[in-house]
Amino acid sequence: MRWRQGRRSSNVEDRRGESGGGGMGGLGNLLALAPLLLRSKKGWLILAALAAFYLFFGDSQLFRGGAPQPASVDSGQAGQAGAGGDEVADFVSVVLADTEDTWGQLFQAAGSEYIPPRLVLYSDAVRSACGLNSAAVGPFYCPTDSKVYLDLSFLNDLKQLGAPGDFAFAYVIAHEVGHHVQNQMGISQKVQQARAQSDKITANRLSVMLELQADCFAGVWAFYAHRDRQMLEPGDLEEGLAAAAAVGDDRLQQRSGRAVSPDAFTHGSAEQRAYWFTRGFKSGDVNQCNTFAALGGRGR
Ligand SMILES: [Zn+2]
């Protein structure tokens, strides 16, 4: 990816080195939360779900890298990462700025104003308006505080998932920004309401539609980054597609040794994720990202 000449964003919040939850890591955070959660029946359920989550993912190699290593964004080239992987932080800032420019223009063209999200860089664990999260959950967007949360070690995780490269990471950032766009468009809220009134399987399917739309929005960003700023190099699109597929629910289920169960999908299959990213990338058109209409019945 040709990114070094790009603009840097002023919306990056660097909280690396701060301890999100007392420095105990994911399980420690869970234990710290336990007394609070045990006060209510709902809390018990949340605690049980969290415990199950950590049992499945806590110490697996799925989302977290192995030994800490300085990350460099260019998988194929010699990394010039400064201490703490600041080249990667610089890269993230450029990608975020580019999403700001893209969505700023698209919102303006639609007669509205894009209010960009803040992006929080963190390590190990972070406190957001959505609660206390360990890096094991991977990058996420919190609609309540309109911030994207990113642990840079996820770049290594992508490599382990078979999706190396700078553009793979850019896709992940653009996907999270896609959730912010959904939030600002009022889509997230509608889906949240519909999910609350649905059975589990329907709720999962609504989640898949929301996630695939975020993939499509990431593709829309890539369209403009490529057409207007020539940021993509040969091989980049393939890196993005590989990343989209690598985080498909079927692949993740297989990697964790579970049977592939489409009803349990919350993000979409590898094929679906690559399809919707491509659809956004080829068209550059937000209207091509109506996953809700396309997937409202059964099908793709
Ligand atoms: Zn997502």
Side-chain angles (χ1 to χ4, degrees):
M1 223 181 134
R2 280 182 286 269
W3 61 272
R4 285 174 206 279
Q5 70 286 1
R7 180 175 77 80
R8 271 65 178 167
S9 171
S10 56
N11 287 309
V12 176
E13 244 174 75
D14 197 345
R15 289 199 220 156
R16 289 173 296 166
E18 283 176 35
S19 175
M24 292 167 75
L27 196 59
N29 295 331
L30 181 58
L31 292 173
L33 282 170
L36 203 69
L37 291 170
L38 291 175
R39 280 184 208 154
S40 70
K41 195 180 168 196
K42 204 173 165 193
W44 272 97
L45 288 171
I46 293 170
L47 193 65
L50 283 172
F53 184 84
Y54 280 116
L55 279 176
F56 267 113
F57 296 113
D59 295 309
S60 78
Q61 294 294 304
L62 191 55
F63 291 111
R64 303 279 301 136
Q69 39 185 297
S72 164
V73 286
D74 294 318
S75 58
Q77 298 162 27
Q80 298 145 19
D86 268 30
E87 185 194 44
V88 184
D90 198 27
F91 172 78
V92 169
S93 181
V94 170
V95 172
L96 183 66
D98 209 80
T99 64
E100 289 164 2
D101 295 343
T102 297
W103 289 109
Q105 281 170 16
L106 289 174
F107 271 66
Q108 198 177 34
S112 148
E113 190 199 348
Y114 179 61
I115 299 155
R118 306 231 350 133
L119 185 149
V120 178
L121 295 177
Y122 73 99
S123 39
D124 301 327
V126 71
R127 205 176 286 280
S128 75
C130 295
L132 194 57
N133 277 99
S134 136
V137 299
F140 67 98
Y141 173 71
C142 174
T144 316
D145 59 19
S146 298
K147 291 181 183 180
V148 170
Y149 291 84
L150 190 64
D151 181 331
L152 295 184
S153 69
F154 193 71
L155 182 59
N156 289 326
D157 302 347
L158 278 172
K159 281 180 201 161
Q160 293 192 0
L161 288 168
D166 51 6
F167 194 75
F169 203 38
Y171 149 75
V172 169
I173 297 162
H175 170 95
E176 298 307 334
V177 169
H179 283 311
H180 176 73
V181 171
Q182 292 174 317
N183 193 25
Q184 216 181 314
M185 286 178 165
I187 298 167
S188 317
Q189 296 82 335
K190 280 185 196 158
V191 171
Q192 202 50 42
Q193 278 172 10
R195 290 191 71 215
Q197 294 159 4
S198 305
D199 60 64
K200 182 89 173 109
I201 291 175
T202 310
N204 282 348
R205 282 176 57 192
L206 285 164
S207 168
V208 167
M209 293 175 207
L210 194 69
E211 293 298 332
L212 293 176
Q213 185 175 59
D215 285 334
C216 189
F217 284 175
V220 168
W221 161 73
F223 172 89
Y224 288 99
H226 180 55
R227 192 195 72 176
D228 296 349
R229 291 174 289 279
Q230 294 80 45
M231 289 177 95
L232 270 67
E233 293 173 310
D236 276 344
L237 181 62
E238 290 74 14
E239 280 179 16
L241 287 172
V247 291
D249 285 315
D250 46 350
R251 298 266 184 97
L252 293 179
Q253 285 177 349
Q254 279 166 347
R255 282 184 74 96
S256 63
R258 286 172 289 157
V260 173
S261 160
D263 280 346
F265 286 1
T266 53
H267 287 69
S269 69
E271 187 202 347
Q272 283 176 315
R273 300 200 70 165
Y275 170 82
W276 283 98
F277 175 79
T278 307
R279 193 163 156 132
F281 178 72
K282 283 196 172 152
S283 64
D285 180 4
V286 173
N287 296 315
Q288 291 296 314
C289 297
N290 192 344
T291 53
F292 299 93
L295 297 160
R298 292 198 71 80
R300 262 206 97 84

